């Protein structure tokens, strides 16, 4: 019998799997290729973006959609734009994070514990939905 894994565990496993990856080219590929498995692709995109943010020792990762326009940024001393996911992946990313955080309201902020290899970090995650605007923000501890 195969044990079904939850999204939180899958996200941690993907972060661990892509630990030694060159994140930007992989994120770019995801934006340029058709979505084949929305859940798997959304988890992959999110894990690559998270790992890039951690590797850059950045404090914030932000995924936003305003009036249909997507923006993904990493911010520390400077702001860096990342390749954006296809729109259907953005929707799936939001849905997955809502499930991980058990968040049903339009907005909320909760901690997310990420176990990575031999360590663990707590990340604050903020989700917000308004008409014509969605955002998902991660605030990382200082590294």
């Amino acid at each position: 019998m195969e044990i079904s894994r939850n999204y939180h565990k899958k996200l941690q496993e993907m972060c661990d799997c892509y630990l030694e990856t060159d994140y930007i080219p992989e994120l770019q590929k995801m934006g340029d290729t058709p979505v084949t498995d929305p859940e798997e692709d959304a988890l992959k995109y999110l894990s690559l973006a998270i790992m890039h943010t951690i590797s850059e020792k950045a404090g914030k990762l932000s995924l936003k959609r305003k009036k249909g326009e997507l923006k993904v940024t990493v911010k520390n001393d400077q702001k860096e734009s990342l390749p954006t996911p296809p729109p259907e992946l953005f929707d799936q990313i939001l849905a997955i994070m809502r499930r991980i955080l058990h968040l049903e309201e339009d907005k909320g902020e909760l901690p997310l514990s990420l176990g990575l290899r031999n360590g663990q970090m707590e990340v604050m995650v903020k989700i917000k939905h308004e008409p014509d605007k969605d955002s998902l923000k991660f605030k990382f501890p200082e590294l």
Side-chain angles (χ1 to χ4, degrees), residues 32-72:
D32 295 340
T33 55
V35 174
T36 55
D37 182 340
E39 283 184 357
E40 195 77 14
D41 291 351
L43 285 164
K44 179 179 178 181
Y45 182 91
L46 190 54
S47 67
L48 288 166
I50 287 171
M51 293 311 300
H52 174 73
T53 306
I54 292 169
S55 73
E56 294 297 311
K57 295 180 175 54
K60 295 179 183 175
L61 168 64
S62 178
L63 296 90
K64 296 180 184 179
R65 175 175 51 203
K66 186 174 182 178
K67 296 182 181 179
E69 184 182 341
L70 294 175
K71 288 184 181 178
V72 180

Side-chain angles (χ1 to χ4, degrees), residues 65-67 106 129-134:
R65 175 175 51 203
K66 186 174 182 178
K67 296 182 181 179
D106 281 346
H129 170 73
E130 298 173 348
D132 278 340
K133 186 177 178 182
D134 289 289

Side-chain angles (χ1 to χ4, degrees), residues 77-91:
D77 295 335
Q78 299 178 359
K79 198 175 200 179
E80 172 191 9
S81 292
L82 296 182
T84 57
E88 63 267 30
L89 276 192
F90 181 81
D91 292 333

Side-chain angles (χ1 to χ4, degrees), residues 6-117:
N6 64 32
Y7 286 124
H8 190 178
K9 185 167 173 78
K10 282 184 175 181
L11 179 62
Q12 290 182 119
E13 288 171 353
M14 283 208 174
C15 284
D16 192 52
C17 177
Y18 294 114
L19 200 59
E20 306 293 326
T21 301
D22 192 359
Y23 308 110
I24 300 298
E26 287 298 318
L27 288 166
Q28 187 65 52
K29 273 192 240 176
M30 293 199 72
D32 295 340
T33 55
V35 174
T36 55
D37 182 340
E39 283 184 357
E40 195 77 14
D41 291 351
L43 285 164
K44 179 179 178 181
Y45 182 91
L46 190 54
S47 67
L48 288 166
I50 287 171
M51 293 311 300
H52 174 73
T53 306
I54 292 169
S55 73
E56 294 297 311
K57 295 180 175 54
K60 295 179 183 175
L61 168 64
S62 178
L63 296 90
K64 296 180 184 179
R65 175 175 51 203
K66 186 174 182 178
K67 296 182 181 179
E69 184 182 341
L70 294 175
K71 288 184 181 178
V72 180
T73 57
V74 172
K75 187 176 180 185
N76 208 2
D77 295 335
Q78 299 178 359
K79 198 175 200 179
E80 172 191 9
S81 292
L82 296 182
T84 57
E88 63 267 30
L89 276 192
F90 181 81
D91 292 333
Q92 192 68 39
I93 289 167
L94 289 175
I96 287 170
M97 284 310 303
R98 286 184 174 283
R99 288 185 199 127
I100 289 172
L101 299 172
H102 306 285
L103 184 63
E104 295 178 16
E105 296 83 26
D106 281 346
K107 61 182 177 177
E109 184 172 6
L110 295 164
L112 172 68
S113 181
L114 278 178
L116 303 169
R117 296 253 165 117

